[in-house]
Amino acid sequence: MEQLKQRILQESAIVSSDILRMDSIINQQVDPSLIMEIGKEFAARFRNEGVTKVLTIESSGIPAAFAAAYDLNVPLVFARRKQTVINDPDSYVERVPSFTKGMVSDLVISKQFLNKEDRILFIDDIIANGDGARGLVKIVQTAGAELIGMGIVVEKSFQAGANYFREQGIRVESLVKIASLESGEIVFED
């Protein structure tokens, strides 16, 4: 998506050779028009796959996942990042490390929202090492649902996450691939 690439170039900040801050685009402040275009693009790519639910991880993945679910006219389900007293005690739980948060957290989804009849489209904002995504894939497998693919807004292709899933035979559709953040420059993969 050329519009997304331009916004990344104009508004993001390189924190290190591994981390790109996109707070004003997709992580903290959200441009509704851009997010709806992102959702339409994912919906177009997966429209013929029989998606029954869109799944994501709170919180940064929610806007893009919502937009895709809206366009596909299916429910959005998101994994909470921690257990709370109001969570359904009958939940799927996976412990995962977070590259950007520098900590381990739980992914929690009530069992009432995933079942073996579901065809899941996983949408996320960024994939780097893929630890959170691996946890979510485990939950989908444990539920007996079918993961039909992953839609990633920004793939850091210089890190192993997305390729890990491709090697597992999972369809991964990334809207933008960043090949490098070295020397303070964003280099996109063609």
Side-chain angles (χ1 to χ4, degrees):
M1 282 186 70
E2 194 57 38
Q3 177 186 14
L4 180 57
K5 283 183 180 179
Q6 291 308 312
R7 294 288 298 276
I8 290 169
L9 289 172
Q10 294 166 0
E11 300 176 42
S12 64
I14 297 172
V15 176
S16 71
S17 62
D18 292 327
I19 299 173
L20 181 66
R21 186 173 47 241
M22 294 182 285
D23 288 351
S24 67
I25 307 167
I26 59 172
N27 294 124
Q28 190 167 17
Q29 173 177 279
V30 176
D31 177 335
S33 297
L34 178 61
I35 288 296
M36 294 310 286
E37 288 302 313
I38 287 169
K40 285 179 189 176
E41 182 64 27
F42 285 135
R45 293 182 187 199
F46 290 96
R47 188 164 316 281
N48 297 324
E49 300 297 328
V51 174
T52 62
K53 290 182 181 157
V54 173
L55 185 62
T56 195
I57 301 170
E58 75 173 357
S59 66
S60 297
I62 292 174
F66 170 82
Y70 179 83
D71 202 83
L72 290 167
N73 196 29
V74 298
L76 164 64
V77 176
F78 63 88
R80 295 185 184 274
R81 283 211 174 261
K82 59 185 169 188
Q83 301 248 23
T84 67
V85 294
I86 61 169
N87 283 2
D88 183 345
D90 193 22
S91 294
Y92 300 107
V93 180
E94 276 296 323
R95 293 193 60 77
V96 297
S98 171
F99 177 74
T100 52
K101 291 180 177 60
M103 58 185 253
V104 174
S105 63
D106 290 331
L107 297 181
V108 183
I109 300 175
S110 174
K111 290 183 178 180
Q112 69 179 318
F113 299 129
L114 290 179
N115 60 63
K116 61 183 176 160
E117 289 81 32
D118 282 321
R119 293 178 52 84
I120 302 297
L121 171 58
F122 171 50
I123 301 285
D124 209 1
D125 61 336
I126 299 170
I127 191 163
N129 294 322
D131 294 321
R134 271 193 280 285
L136 207 60
V137 169
K138 285 181 187 175
I139 289 174
V140 169
Q141 292 168 338
T142 301
E146 182 180 357
L147 178 66
I148 59 98
M150 300 171 69
I152 306 298
V153 178
V154 177
E155 173 185 338
K156 292 195 279 182
S157 60
F158 59 91
Q159 291 175 296
N163 283 331
Y164 168 83
F165 293 105
R166 289 183 182 106
E167 290 167 2
Q168 305 303 311
I170 296 171
R171 178 180 171 193
V172 179
E173 294 281 339
S174 299
L175 300 184
V176 171
K177 293 180 181 180
I178 295 176
S180 173
L181 297 172
E182 294 293 328
S183 302
E185 181 183 356
I186 300 167
V187 178
F188 294 109
E189 186 177 308
D190 293 326

